[in-house]
Amino acid sequence: NGISWHLVMAPLENISVVLMLVFVAYIGFMFFAVLNVITGIFCQNAISSANSDKELSLMSQLENTKVLTSLISQVFSEIDVDGSEEITFDEFEKVVEDERLGAFFDVLGIDTSDVWALFSLIDHDGSGAIQLDEFLQGCLQLKGPAKAVQTATISYEQKRMKAKLSNIEMMLSDSVATIDGLSRYMQKSKGSM
């Protein structure tokens, strides 16, 4: 409930049109300056809030990983029935039969339908037994759907393997041609004697 702009402008118009235009320019400049300051404050608050959310998300993720690691360690102890601090295939195979342990793997998104394949994936050193660190690392890597990095790594490794196989195929083809040529040469040599 302020004064009408027209009431303020009328006396200036009577004095000078230039003063009236300066006043309009001043009011316009101040209006946009105030709006700019308000927009800046709003943007700064939004940026601070977003950074705070990233930090909270990171802290939450770290806490979740700690809790999950502790839970996986407990499951390892339950599977390791003989207390040898390693899980054999026979012990691991019982995971499928135990509904509670099977549910644990289901919650992690790890498919237990092929027990031997899962055991082989977790047993990184191929020793035939899984130690706690292998179990932790394997479960953390296998949990959930495949990540883009894992898919890209598999694709890259497949391309490298395909290139190596192509090289081996060419070398074998060259070797067969060389052996075939030597065989013909030897047959000719025998025939001419």
Side-chain angles (χ1 to χ4, degrees), residues 91-99 101-102 105 112-115 118:
E91 289 173 320
F92 193 76
E93 196 171 26
K94 293 177 185 166
V95 168
V96 178
E97 298 167 7
D98 186 334
E99 283 184 25
L101 293 176
F105 283 100
T112 58
S113 61
D114 188 351
V115 181
L118 181 58

Side-chain angles (χ1 to χ4, degrees), residues 108-129:
L108 289 180
I110 299 174
D111 183 18
T112 58
S113 61
D114 188 351
V115 181
W116 176 249
L118 181 58
F119 183 84
S120 299
L121 286 171
I122 294 175
D123 182 19
H124 294 293
D125 62 6
S127 64

Side-chain angles (χ1 to χ4, degrees), residues 125-137:
D125 62 6
S127 64
I130 301 172
Q131 287 74 34
L132 177 60
D133 61 330
E134 286 179 311
F135 191 69
L136 283 169
Q137 184 180 12

Side-chain angles (χ1 to χ4, degrees), residues 35-98:
L35 282 179
N36 193 24
V37 168
I38 291 172
T39 302
I41 291 170
F42 175 77
C43 289
Q44 184 61 37
N45 285 339
I47 290 169
S48 295
S49 177
N51 286 339
S52 177
D53 286 348
K54 287 178 187 175
E55 290 171 12
L56 288 174
S57 177
L58 178 62
M59 289 173 50
S60 175
Q61 182 68 27
L62 290 173
E63 185 62 31
N64 288 344
T65 301
K66 285 180 185 176
V67 169
L68 185 58
T69 300
S70 174
L71 188 60
I72 291 171
S73 296
Q74 290 173 1
V75 168
F76 179 86
S77 297
E78 287 185 42
I79 296 172
D80 181 25
V81 179
D82 62 2
S84 63
E85 296 191 8
E86 59 183 23
I87 300 173
T88 62
F89 179 72
D90 293 333
E91 289 173 320
F92 193 76
E93 196 171 26
K94 293 177 185 166
V95 168
V96 178
E97 298 167 7
D98 186 334

Side-chain angles (χ1 to χ4, degrees), residues 161-179:
M161 188 66 68
K162 186 177 179 181
K164 285 181 179 181
L165 286 174
S166 293
N167 288 341
I168 291 172
E169 182 181 16
M170 287 188 334
M171 287 174 22
L172 284 174
S173 178
D174 291 345
S175 296
V176 167
T178 302
I179 291 172

